[in-house]
């Protein structure tokens, strides 16, 4: 278990400056992927990381790594996450700040952050302090009823974190990770129907209300999150190539 936690954490250490970005932040594109549990934030992040050299900053992944490693943050977050509720704004914003300082390649993908109005304010400050801006808020437009099926069928590689689904995205060879060849997989403790309903209620109550803040700033772009995974990626690519 410990090895998996360290590898999860190491995903945040990479810092390549690829096409379109440099150390001064020129050509950088910073985006928020916004959507309820199971909308495809992690799935799409994985593809943007591979194809564009962007860096995924997923507070959910960071918190899960902290829980596994048994850090003070992890000890505080564990029960809250298992109940499907939100971890404190101060904790997640501190995690995001640390990861931003570790470098964000050709741009940051904020996945699952911000989730409250206070976190949206904190992100503005974190970006401003680093002389960066937010370019797009990409909202994955989805049908909540279909998301439960997505979530209960989800599993990931225990070694490299690659994401799969029992029906929608199976490994090419059964039981073997496409990316690293590992044969160990895991499922999240909060991925059962009852907890998913709580997570969705939290999204509706606390996260959806931040969308108008970004709409007022002209940053929101809506993408049909119910389309095939590759079609969703293509729609996001079109937006990123706009500017
Ligand atoms: P987090 O890890 O962020 O979970 P979440 O928001 O509930 O979102 P998920 O990771 O479940 O969904 P996703 O959109 O990434 O979907 P995925 O791509 O995997 O947060 C977990 C917990 O941590 C929270 O409940 C909270 O306690 C805490 N937390 C995290 N951030 C916090 C914050 N900022 N503040 C406070 N607390 C915080 O896709 C799902 C499945 O569907 C996959 O199997 C995938 O293969 C499949 N799939 C994806 N796209 C498609 C498609 N287009 N068609 C068919 N299948 C698809
Ligand atoms: Mg996710
Ligand atoms: Zn793997």
């Amino acid at each position: 278990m410990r090895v998996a936690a360290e590898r999860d954490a190491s995903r945040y250490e990479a810092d390549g400056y690829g096409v379109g970005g440099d150390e001064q932040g020129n050509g950088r594109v910073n985006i928020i992927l916004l959507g309820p549990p199971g909308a495809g934030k992690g799935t799409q992040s994985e593809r943007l990381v591979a194809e564009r050299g962007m860096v995924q900053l997923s507070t959910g992944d960071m918190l899960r790594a902290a829980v596994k490693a048994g850090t003070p943050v992890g000890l505080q977050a564990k029960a809250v996450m298992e109940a499907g509720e939100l971890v404190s704004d101060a904790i997640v914003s501190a995690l995001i700040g640390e990861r931003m300082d570790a470098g964000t390649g050709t741009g940051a993908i904020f996945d699952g952050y911000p989730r409250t109005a206070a976190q949206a304010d904190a992100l503005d400050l974190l970006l401003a302090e680093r002389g960066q801006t937010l370019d797009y808020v990409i909202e994955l437009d989805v049908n909540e009823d279909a998301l439960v099926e997505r979530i209960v069928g989800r599993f990931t590689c225990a070694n490299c974190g690659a994401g799969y689904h029992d029906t929608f995205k199976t490994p090419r060879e059964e039981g073997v990770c496409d990316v690293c060849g590992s044969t160990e997989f895991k499922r999240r403790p909060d991925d059962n129907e009852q907890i998913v309903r709580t997570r969705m209620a939290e999204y509706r109550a606390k996260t959806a209300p931040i969308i108008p803040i970004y709409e007022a700033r002209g940053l929101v772009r809506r993408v049909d999150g119910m389309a095939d995974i590759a079609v969703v990626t293509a729609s996001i690519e079109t937006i990123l190539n706009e500017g």
Side-chain angles (χ1 to χ4, degrees):
M1 291 304 261
R2 192 157 163 73
V3 171
E6 280 163 7
R7 297 249 169 96
D8 277 355
S10 74
R11 290 168 63 195
Y12 297 98
E13 285 160 16
D15 187 17
Y17 294 102
V19 181
D22 66 16
E23 288 169 56
Q24 281 72 48
N26 298 322
R28 208 188 262 280
V29 182
N30 291 323
I31 64 169
I32 294 173
L33 283 187
L34 202 68
K41 304 180 295 290
T43 302
Q44 296 303 325
S45 295
E46 215 177 281
R47 296 167 73 100
L48 295 171
V49 167
E51 287 161 26
R52 300 182 76 101
M54 295 177 77
V55 172
Q56 177 192 17
L57 283 80
S58 158
T59 39
D61 286 351
M62 293 172 200
L63 290 167
R64 279 183 288 278
V67 168
K68 281 214 183 123
T71 65
V73 163
L75 293 175
Q76 279 193 58
K78 188 172 188 288
V80 179
M81 292 174 77
E82 284 177 2
E85 292 162 6
L86 294 188
V87 174
S88 86
D89 293 332
I91 287 181
V92 293
S93 295
L95 287 173
I96 286 283
E98 281 168 31
R99 300 305 188 203
M100 287 172 79
D101 289 337
T104 51
T106 60
I109 306 162
F110 297 100
D111 161 4
Y113 178 92
R115 262 176 150 94
T116 63
Q119 292 178 28
D121 288 343
L123 178 59
D124 283 343
L125 203 63
L126 289 167
L127 287 163
E129 283 167 355
R130 290 160 182 78
Q132 294 186 37
T133 51
L134 182 61
D135 298 290
Y136 299 108
V137 176
I138 298 178
E139 186 191 352
L140 298 168
D141 194 12
V142 283
N143 163 2
E144 272 195 19
D145 292 333
L147 299 186
V148 175
E149 187 191 2
R150 281 196 192 175
I151 287 177
V152 298
R154 170 171 59 185
F155 61 98
T156 55
C157 172
N159 180 47
C160 75
Y164 297 97
H165 189 278
D166 292 328
T167 313
F168 306 128
K169 191 183 172 217
T170 53
R172 280 192 292 273
E173 185 184 338
E174 200 189 330
V176 181
C177 175
D178 293 349
V179 179
C180 75
S182 168
T183 53
E184 276 186 55
F185 296 90
K186 59 184 180 178
R187 289 179 193 262
R188 279 168 44 176
D190 60 343
D191 274 356
N192 65 66
E193 181 162 357
Q194 191 199 340
I195 305 296
V196 167
R197 299 281 179 202
T198 304
R199 286 158 56 196
M200 285 176 174
E202 288 282 82
Y203 179 83
R204 280 194 299 270
K206 296 172 185 164
T207 308
I210 70 178
I211 297 172
I213 299 172
Y214 292 121
E215 260 167 354
R217 285 156 60 176
L219 295 177
V220 178
R221 302 287 183 278
R222 260 182 206 94
V223 163
D224 176 12
M226 297 312 296
D228 284 349
I229 292 173
V231 174
V232 179
T233 309
S235 308
I236 296 173
E237 293 277 0
T238 303
I239 294 164
L240 299 187
N241 292 334
E242 252 176 42

PDB file of all heavy atoms in Angstrom, residues 3 20 22 34 42 52 59 91 109 116 120 145 157 162 172-173 198 205 208 213 215 217:
ATOM      1  N   VAL A   3       3.836   1.691  -1.192  1.00  0.00           N
ATOM      2  CA  VAL A   3       4.466   1.950  -2.490  1.00  0.00           C
ATOM      3  C   VAL A   3       3.491   2.704  -3.397  1.00  0.00           C
ATOM      4  O   VAL A   3       3.837   3.695  -4.016  1.00  0.00           O
ATOM      5  CB  VAL A   3       4.893   0.616  -3.151  1.00  0.00           C
ATOM      6  CG1 VAL A   3       5.346   0.856  -4.574  1.00  0.00           C
ATOM      7  CG2 VAL A   3       6.007  -0.019  -2.328  1.00  0.00           C
ATOM      8  N   GLY A  20       4.745  25.111 -26.136  1.00  0.00           N
ATOM      9  CA  GLY A  20       3.832  26.187 -25.760  1.00  0.00           C
ATOM     10  C   GLY A  20       4.060  26.787 -24.385  1.00  0.00           C
ATOM     11  O   GLY A  20       3.442  27.762 -24.034  1.00  0.00           O
ATOM     12  N   ASP A  22       6.964  27.972 -21.134  1.00  0.00           N
ATOM     13  CA  ASP A  22       8.347  28.094 -20.694  1.00  0.00           C
ATOM     14  C   ASP A  22       8.361  28.529 -19.242  1.00  0.00           C
ATOM     15  O   ASP A  22       7.318  28.669 -18.615  1.00  0.00           O
ATOM     16  CB  ASP A  22       9.135  29.051 -21.596  1.00  0.00           C
ATOM     17  CG  ASP A  22       8.623  30.479 -21.498  1.00  0.00           C
ATOM     18  OD1 ASP A  22       7.889  30.788 -20.540  1.00  0.00           O
ATOM     19  OD2 ASP A  22       8.965  31.272 -22.388  1.00  0.00           O
ATOM     20  N   LEU A  34     -14.371  21.245 -14.282  1.00  0.00           N
ATOM     21  CA  LEU A  34     -15.439  21.305 -13.295  1.00  0.00           C
ATOM     22  C   LEU A  34     -16.554  20.335 -13.675  1.00  0.00           C
ATOM     23  O   LEU A  34     -16.957  20.276 -14.832  1.00  0.00           O
ATOM     24  CB  LEU A  34     -15.979  22.741 -13.288  1.00  0.00           C
ATOM     25  CG  LEU A  34     -16.709  23.207 -12.064  1.00  0.00           C
ATOM     26  CD1 LEU A  34     -15.766  23.337 -10.878  1.00  0.00           C
ATOM     27  CD2 LEU A  34     -17.355  24.552 -12.333  1.00  0.00           C
ATOM     28  N   GLY A  42     -10.888  13.311 -14.006  1.00  0.00           N
ATOM     29  CA  GLY A  42      -9.623  12.576 -13.940  1.00  0.00           C
ATOM     30  C   GLY A  42      -9.262  11.949 -15.279  1.00  0.00           C
ATOM     31  O   GLY A  42      -8.107  11.997 -15.720  1.00  0.00           O
ATOM     32  N   ARG A  52      -0.410  16.991 -23.963  1.00  0.00           N
ATOM     33  CA  ARG A  52      -0.010  18.405 -23.999  1.00  0.00           C
ATOM     34  C   ARG A  52       1.048  18.789 -22.985  1.00  0.00           C
ATOM     35  O   ARG A  52       1.435  19.955 -22.922  1.00  0.00           O
ATOM     36  CB  ARG A  52      -1.233  19.308 -23.757  1.00  0.00           C
ATOM     37  CG  ARG A  52      -2.332  19.133 -24.782  1.00  0.00           C
ATOM     38  CD  ARG A  52      -3.474  20.091 -24.505  1.00  0.00           C
ATOM     39  NE  ARG A  52      -3.171  21.448 -24.897  1.00  0.00           N
ATOM     40  CZ  ARG A  52      -3.604  22.032 -26.017  1.00  0.00           C
ATOM     41  NH1 ARG A  52      -4.372  21.368 -26.840  1.00  0.00           N
ATOM     42  NH2 ARG A  52      -3.283  23.265 -26.286  1.00  0.00           N
ATOM     43  N   THR A  59      -6.985  17.515  -6.163  1.00  0.00           N
ATOM     44  CA  THR A  59      -6.992  17.503  -4.690  1.00  0.00           C
ATOM     45  C   THR A  59      -7.445  16.139  -4.174  1.00  0.00           C
ATOM     46  O   THR A  59      -6.954  15.689  -3.142  1.00  0.00           O
ATOM     47  CB  THR A  59      -7.886  18.632  -4.129  1.00  0.00           C
ATOM     48  OG1 THR A  59      -9.052  18.765  -4.946  1.00  0.00           O
ATOM     49  CG2 THR A  59      -7.139  19.947  -4.104  1.00  0.00           C
ATOM     50  N   ILE A  91      -7.066  23.232   4.093  1.00  0.00           N
ATOM     51  CA  ILE A  91      -6.208  22.078   3.779  1.00  0.00           C
ATOM     52  C   ILE A  91      -6.009  21.948   2.263  1.00  0.00           C
ATOM     53  O   ILE A  91      -4.881  21.843   1.778  1.00  0.00           O
ATOM     54  CB  ILE A  91      -6.812  20.763   4.346  1.00  0.00           C
ATOM     55  CG1 ILE A  91      -6.642  20.734   5.865  1.00  0.00           C
ATOM     56  CG2 ILE A  91      -6.161  19.535   3.702  1.00  0.00           C
ATOM     57  CD1 ILE A  91      -7.176  19.467   6.532  1.00  0.00           C
ATOM     58  N   ILE A 109      -3.915  21.784 -14.723  1.00  0.00           N
ATOM     59  CA  ILE A 109      -5.312  21.347 -14.809  1.00  0.00           C
ATOM     60  C   ILE A 109      -5.785  21.198 -13.373  1.00  0.00           C
ATOM     61  O   ILE A 109      -5.348  20.285 -12.663  1.00  0.00           O
ATOM     62  CB  ILE A 109      -5.443  19.969 -15.493  1.00  0.00           C
ATOM     63  CG1 ILE A 109      -4.755  19.948 -16.846  1.00  0.00           C
ATOM     64  CG2 ILE A 109      -6.917  19.579 -15.599  1.00  0.00           C
ATOM     65  CD1 ILE A 109      -4.473  18.526 -17.345  1.00  0.00           C
ATOM     66  N   THR A 116     -15.563  25.225  -3.608  1.00  0.00           N
ATOM     67  CA  THR A 116     -16.409  26.151  -2.818  1.00  0.00           C
ATOM     68  C   THR A 116     -16.016  27.573  -3.231  1.00  0.00           C
ATOM     69  O   THR A 116     -14.949  27.786  -3.842  1.00  0.00           O
ATOM     70  CB  THR A 116     -16.130  26.030  -1.300  1.00  0.00           C
ATOM     71  OG1 THR A 116     -14.768  26.417  -1.053  1.00  0.00           O
ATOM     72  CG2 THR A 116     -16.359  24.626  -0.773  1.00  0.00           C
ATOM     73  N   ALA A 120     -12.423  29.143  -4.533  1.00  0.00           N
ATOM     74  CA  ALA A 120     -12.276  29.931  -5.769  1.00  0.00           C
ATOM     75  C   ALA A 120     -11.498  31.214  -5.471  1.00  0.00           C
ATOM     76  O   ALA A 120     -10.609  31.609  -6.241  1.00  0.00           O
ATOM     77  CB  ALA A 120     -13.653  30.252  -6.356  1.00  0.00           C
ATOM     78  N   ASP A 145     -27.721  10.831 -13.372  1.00  0.00           N
ATOM     79  CA  ASP A 145     -28.155   9.439 -13.191  1.00  0.00           C
ATOM     80  C   ASP A 145     -27.173   8.457 -13.813  1.00  0.00           C
ATOM     81  O   ASP A 145     -26.965   7.367 -13.303  1.00  0.00           O
ATOM     82  CB  ASP A 145     -29.549   9.231 -13.801  1.00  0.00           C
ATOM     83  CG  ASP A 145     -30.604  10.001 -13.013  1.00  0.00           C
ATOM     84  OD1 ASP A 145     -30.375  10.230 -11.806  1.00  0.00           O
ATOM     85  OD2 ASP A 145     -31.628  10.373 -13.603  1.00  0.00           O
ATOM     86  N   CYS A 157      -5.183   1.458 -11.726  1.00  0.00           N
ATOM     87  CA  CYS A 157      -3.971   0.670 -11.537  1.00  0.00           C
ATOM     88  C   CYS A 157      -3.362   1.041 -10.182  1.00  0.00           C
ATOM     89  O   CYS A 157      -3.177   2.221  -9.883  1.00  0.00           O
ATOM     90  CB  CYS A 157      -2.984   0.979 -12.664  1.00  0.00           C
ATOM     91  SG  CYS A 157      -1.365   0.237 -12.383  1.00  0.00           S
ATOM     92  N   ALA A 162      -3.353   4.741 -13.487  1.00  0.00           N
ATOM     93  CA  ALA A 162      -4.153   4.845 -14.719  1.00  0.00           C
ATOM     94  C   ALA A 162      -5.592   4.408 -14.416  1.00  0.00           C
ATOM     95  O   ALA A 162      -5.820   3.455 -13.679  1.00  0.00           O
ATOM     96  CB  ALA A 162      -3.558   3.972 -15.811  1.00  0.00           C
ATOM     97  N   ARG A 172      -6.551  -3.245 -22.289  1.00  0.00           N
ATOM     98  CA  ARG A 172      -6.486  -3.982 -23.558  1.00  0.00           C
ATOM     99  C   ARG A 172      -6.375  -5.482 -23.307  1.00  0.00           C
ATOM    100  O   ARG A 172      -7.024  -6.291 -23.948  1.00  0.00           O
ATOM    101  CB  ARG A 172      -5.284  -3.499 -24.396  1.00  0.00           C
ATOM    102  CG  ARG A 172      -5.566  -2.191 -25.133  1.00  0.00           C
ATOM    103  CD  ARG A 172      -4.486  -1.904 -26.164  1.00  0.00           C
ATOM    104  NE  ARG A 172      -3.212  -1.613 -25.533  1.00  0.00           N
ATOM    105  CZ  ARG A 172      -2.831  -0.399 -25.132  1.00  0.00           C
ATOM    106  NH1 ARG A 172      -3.619   0.641 -25.320  1.00  0.00           N
ATOM    107  NH2 ARG A 172      -1.661  -0.217 -24.569  1.00  0.00           N
ATOM    108  N   GLU A 173      -5.509  -5.850 -22.351  1.00  0.00           N
ATOM    109  CA  GLU A 173      -5.410  -7.261 -21.968  1.00  0.00           C
ATOM    110  C   GLU A 173      -5.991  -7.369 -20.566  1.00  0.00           C
ATOM    111  O   GLU A 173      -5.569  -6.639 -19.651  1.00  0.00           O
ATOM    112  CB  GLU A 173      -3.931  -7.688 -21.957  1.00  0.00           C
ATOM    113  CG  GLU A 173      -3.745  -9.158 -21.687  1.00  0.00           C
ATOM    114  CD  GLU A 173      -2.262  -9.540 -21.593  1.00  0.00           C
ATOM    115  OE1 GLU A 173      -1.426  -8.779 -22.150  1.00  0.00           O
ATOM    116  OE2 GLU A 173      -1.955 -10.552 -20.958  1.00  0.00           O
ATOM    117  N   THR A 198     -24.210  11.352  -1.715  1.00  0.00           N
ATOM    118  CA  THR A 198     -23.781  12.445  -0.826  1.00  0.00           C
ATOM    119  C   THR A 198     -22.806  13.354  -1.570  1.00  0.00           C
ATOM    120  O   THR A 198     -22.893  14.585  -1.491  1.00  0.00           O
ATOM    121  CB  THR A 198     -23.077  11.874   0.435  1.00  0.00           C
ATOM    122  OG1 THR A 198     -23.961  10.972   1.076  1.00  0.00           O
ATOM    123  CG2 THR A 198     -22.680  12.997   1.401  1.00  0.00           C
ATOM    124  N   ALA A 205     -24.735  21.637  -3.844  1.00  0.00           N
ATOM    125  CA  ALA A 205     -24.896  22.678  -2.814  1.00  0.00           C
ATOM    126  C   ALA A 205     -23.720  23.656  -2.775  1.00  0.00           C
ATOM    127  O   ALA A 205     -23.907  24.847  -2.568  1.00  0.00           O
ATOM    128  CB  ALA A 205     -25.065  22.020  -1.445  1.00  0.00           C
ATOM    129  N   ALA A 208     -21.491  23.803  -7.580  1.00  0.00           N
ATOM    130  CA  ALA A 208     -22.215  24.395  -8.714  1.00  0.00           C
ATOM    131  C   ALA A 208     -22.392  25.918  -8.541  1.00  0.00           C
ATOM    132  O   ALA A 208     -22.289  26.660  -9.534  1.00  0.00           O
ATOM    133  CB  ALA A 208     -23.554  23.688  -8.922  1.00  0.00           C
ATOM    134  N   ILE A 213     -19.728  32.728 -10.853  1.00  0.00           N
ATOM    135  CA  ILE A 213     -18.590  33.634 -10.583  1.00  0.00           C
ATOM    136  C   ILE A 213     -17.680  33.654 -11.810  1.00  0.00           C
ATOM    137  O   ILE A 213     -17.224  34.701 -12.267  1.00  0.00           O
ATOM    138  CB  ILE A 213     -17.767  33.131  -9.353  1.00  0.00           C
ATOM    139  CG1 ILE A 213     -18.633  33.095  -8.093  1.00  0.00           C
ATOM    140  CG2 ILE A 213     -16.504  33.966  -9.167  1.00  0.00           C
ATOM    141  CD1 ILE A 213     -17.943  32.435  -6.878  1.00  0.00           C
ATOM    142  N   GLU A 215     -18.597  32.547 -14.835  1.00  0.00           N
ATOM    143  CA  GLU A 215     -19.362  32.988 -16.007  1.00  0.00           C
ATOM    144  C   GLU A 215     -19.272  34.493 -16.151  1.00  0.00           C
ATOM    145  O   GLU A 215     -19.087  35.019 -17.252  1.00  0.00           O
ATOM    146  CB  GLU A 215     -20.828  32.567 -15.873  1.00  0.00           C
ATOM    147  CG  GLU A 215     -21.138  31.328 -16.677  1.00  0.00           C
ATOM    148  CD  GLU A 215     -22.478  30.703 -16.344  1.00  0.00           C
ATOM    149  OE1 GLU A 215     -23.161  31.150 -15.386  1.00  0.00           O
ATOM    150  OE2 GLU A 215     -22.818  29.744 -17.042  1.00  0.00           O
ATOM    151  N   ARG A 217     -16.941  36.303 -15.451  1.00  0.00           N
ATOM    152  CA  ARG A 217     -15.616  36.667 -15.955  1.00  0.00           C
ATOM    153  C   ARG A 217     -15.374  36.143 -17.376  1.00  0.00           C
ATOM    154  O   ARG A 217     -14.255  36.271 -17.901  1.00  0.00           O
ATOM    155  CB  ARG A 217     -14.548  36.124 -14.998  1.00  0.00           C
ATOM    156  CG  ARG A 217     -14.484  36.962 -13.718  1.00  0.00           C
ATOM    157  CD  ARG A 217     -13.924  36.226 -12.513  1.00  0.00           C
ATOM    158  NE  ARG A 217     -12.566  35.756 -12.696  1.00  0.00           N
ATOM    159  CZ  ARG A 217     -11.856  35.150 -11.744  1.00  0.00           C
ATOM    160  NH1 ARG A 217     -12.393  34.952 -10.543  1.00  0.00           N
ATOM    161  NH2 ARG A 217     -10.645  34.751 -11.990  1.00  0.00           N
TER     162      ARG A 217
END
